[in-house]
Amino acid sequence: ELVYDFLHRIQDWPERLPHIDAVDVRQDAPGVQITAVDTSAAPDGLTRTTRGVRLCFPAAARIVYKELLTPAPIAAHTGEWSLTPDGDGVRVVCAQQVLLHDPHTPHNRQDRQDRWDPGAAGGLAETRRQVRTRLGHASTRTLHLAGWRARTAVRRLR
C-alpha cells in the first residue's frame, strides 16, 4: 500500500522526486487524474512540461497513463505502474511505450516547447538511446524513492 500510495499521490512528487519541479493534478472522477508535470531531468537543464491522464486502479495495484503533450522528439508516450506482492514484499514494474517522431515527416505543433533536430543528436538510433536512458533513469529514481519511503515509513501501532 505504501508504494502504491507514493506512485498515486503524484501531487506530492515535487517534494519527493528531485527531477520533478511542479505538478498540477485534477481529479474529476475517482481514479482519473488529469496532470501537468514540469520535469527537469533532461541533460540540457531545461524544464519540460508534459500533460497527461492517469487511470488509477488501487484494488488491482495498477496505474496506467497516457501523455497528451510530450516534449520533442517523443510523438506519443504511454505507460503502466503495476505492483505484485511477492514473498519478500512487492514487485513493482514500470512498462513504457514510446513513439518517436519520424525525422522525415514534418511535425508542426504550435505548443512544442523545444525543437528537435535528429541529425544533430547523432541520428534516430542515438535519439532512441537518449530517450530510453532519460525515461529509464527517471522511472528507476522514482521506484527507488518509493521503495525507500515504504521501508522507512513509521508504522502506527494500535
Side-chain angles (χ1 to χ4, degrees):
E1 293 89 14
L2 293 171
V3 174
Y4 182 86
D5 184 66
F6 183 97
L7 297 172
H8 178 263
R9 296 180 55 79
I10 191 171
Q11 69 272 13
D12 296 339
W13 285 9
E15 294 86 36
R16 295 177 173 181
L17 298 171
H19 63 282
I20 303 294
D21 293 333
V23 173
D24 181 37
V25 62
R26 189 178 83 233
Q27 188 160 329
D28 295 337
V32 179
Q33 298 175 333
I34 310 299
T35 65
V37 179
D38 292 341
T39 305
S40 62
D44 57 15
L46 295 175
T47 297
R48 290 181 170 73
T49 300
T50 59
R51 299 189 192 290
V53 61
R54 293 171 22 124
L55 304 178
C56 304
F57 304 95
R62 290 180 61 216
I63 298 172
V64 295
Y65 61 90
K66 164 94 171 89
E67 288 184 356
L68 305 171
L69 170 65
T70 58
I74 298 172
H77 180 195
T78 64
E80 174 182 351
W81 297 97
S82 60
L83 293 81
T84 308
D86 66 14
D88 297 329
V90 65
R91 176 186 160 117
V92 184
V93 175
C94 178
Q96 300 181 68
Q97 298 78 37
V98 174
L99 176 67
L100 298 178
H101 281 286
D102 181 343
H104 304 294
T105 304
H107 54 285
N108 200 8
R109 290 186 49 181
Q110 297 299 321
D111 59 350
R112 185 60 65 192
Q113 300 168 45
D114 48 358
R115 299 293 176 238
W116 172 57
D117 178 4
L124 188 58
E126 177 61 17
T127 300
R128 185 180 301 122
R129 188 195 66 73
Q130 289 176 7
V131 169
R132 181 182 176 97
T133 299
R134 186 173 11 161
L135 293 175
H137 284 159
S139 298
T140 300
R141 275 194 304 269
T142 302
L143 288 172
H144 284 192
L145 288 169
W148 175 83
R149 189 164 182 90
R151 285 188 304 276
T152 61
V154 176
R155 295 194 174 39
R156 191 173 87 179
L157 300 175
R158 294 185 183 241

